[in-house]
Amino acid sequence: MGKQLIISVGREFGSGGHVIAEELARRFELPLYDNNLLEHIAEEKEISHESLKKYDERPKNRLFSRTVRGYSNSMQENLANMQFDYLKKKAAAGESFVIVGRCSETILKGFDGLVSIFVLGDPDVKAERIRKVYGVSEEEARRMMKREDWNRKSYHNYYCKGKWGDSRNYDFSINSSRLGIEKTVDMLENCIRARMESNC
């Protein structure tokens, strides 16, 4: 693919956004970056990948963190900035890829090849999906949904001016519960290809 394409996928927990990102990466033959970003960063910085995992896409703990002369003691904030820098470097080098979350619709906004998507879903459908994927009760699925979405929202809104999930901040917002995962991917693929053609 000659022209740069960066597909940013934000998602509600249980919406199938990650599966949709994987399938878009497959269809457009692009690398997918999600929590595997940690492996790349750990290798680059020569630190343990496992030690970074618990801080990934987590909001900064304001009670126990402080910033002095531009340096933060918050692992969450430091890791977030390492990921942002890594993605900006990839994009600036002209690389094409799919990225899940990580404020990518905002931090990569200046790149012409960016297509930003937010995947949401109906609460009942999301809870059922979580229940099946994680093998938990419906009650636990709803707790997980609430907790994970709160974490994602808090993380996103700390680093970005635009609010997490606000359709005005994305090129496409789509409810995956309406068409199901495969047809949602079909629709997004068509939209992205049309967008690429219009930018030629």
Side-chain angles (χ1 to χ4, degrees):
M1 183 179 295
K3 197 170 179 187
Q4 186 177 41
L5 173 63
I6 301 168
I7 303 173
S8 160
V9 182
R11 74 286 183 221
E12 291 180 344
F13 189 68
S15 65
H18 196 281
V19 174
I20 288 167
E22 287 176 331
E23 183 58 20
L24 287 171
R26 189 187 69 76
R27 292 189 188 189
F28 285 95
E29 298 181 341
L30 297 175
L32 174 73
Y33 294 120
D34 52 5
N35 54 17
N36 64 355
L37 264 184
L38 301 182
E39 296 168 27
H40 297 290
I41 289 168
E43 194 176 316
E44 205 174 75
K45 304 284 183 187
E46 297 183 351
I47 51 181
S48 162
H49 164 240
E50 288 301 317
S51 66
L52 298 178
K53 270 171 118 174
K54 60 182 175 184
Y55 303 110
D56 189 31
E57 276 199 300
R58 289 289 176 259
K60 175 182 174 178
N61 187 328
R62 296 180 194 224
L63 192 63
F64 298 108
S65 59
R66 40 185 291 223
T67 303
V68 179
R69 295 189 185 129
Y71 293 97
S72 173
N73 70 344
S74 164
M75 268 305 294
Q76 291 94 334
E77 187 168 17
N78 290 330
L79 179 58
N81 285 321
M82 281 190 271
Q83 291 187 72
F84 300 160
D85 289 344
Y86 185 88
L87 291 170
K88 283 190 262 193
K89 195 160 56 172
K90 289 275 179 196
E95 293 188 32
S96 294
F97 53 87
V98 177
I99 172 67
V100 178
R102 287 145 188 91
C103 304
S104 49
E105 87 293 336
T106 299
I107 64 161
L108 300 176
K109 202 166 196 169
F111 294 93
D112 291 338
L114 177 69
V115 178
S116 57
I117 298 161
F118 190 83
V119 184
L120 58 144
D122 295 341
D124 290 348
V125 177
K126 290 190 297 179
E128 179 61 15
R129 180 177 175 78
I130 294 164
R131 193 185 67 72
K132 285 180 177 172
V133 170
Y134 293 95
V136 295
S137 67
E138 184 176 341
E139 187 182 357
E140 179 58 22
R142 289 183 185 274
R143 267 199 297 268
M144 288 171 71
M145 189 164 65
K146 192 173 178 183
R147 182 177 66 244
E148 290 301 318
D149 280 348
W150 183 89
N151 280 332
R152 288 174 184 177
K153 182 179 179 179
S154 302
Y155 166 88
H156 182 281
N157 293 351
Y158 177 77
Y159 296 105
C160 306
K161 285 183 182 174
K163 299 302 179 192
W164 181 77
D166 184 337
S167 61
R168 290 168 292 192
N169 299 322
Y170 306 88
D171 296 316
F172 306 105
S173 286
I174 191 161
N175 185 329
S176 61
S177 304
R178 296 289 182 263
L179 295 173
I181 300 296
E182 192 173 341
K183 287 184 178 174
T184 296
V185 176
D186 291 342
M187 179 181 272
L188 287 170
E189 181 186 2
N190 289 335
C191 290
I192 293 166
R193 292 197 188 281
R195 166 79 181 272
M196 289 169 73
E197 283 171 22
S198 68
N199 286 349
C200 288

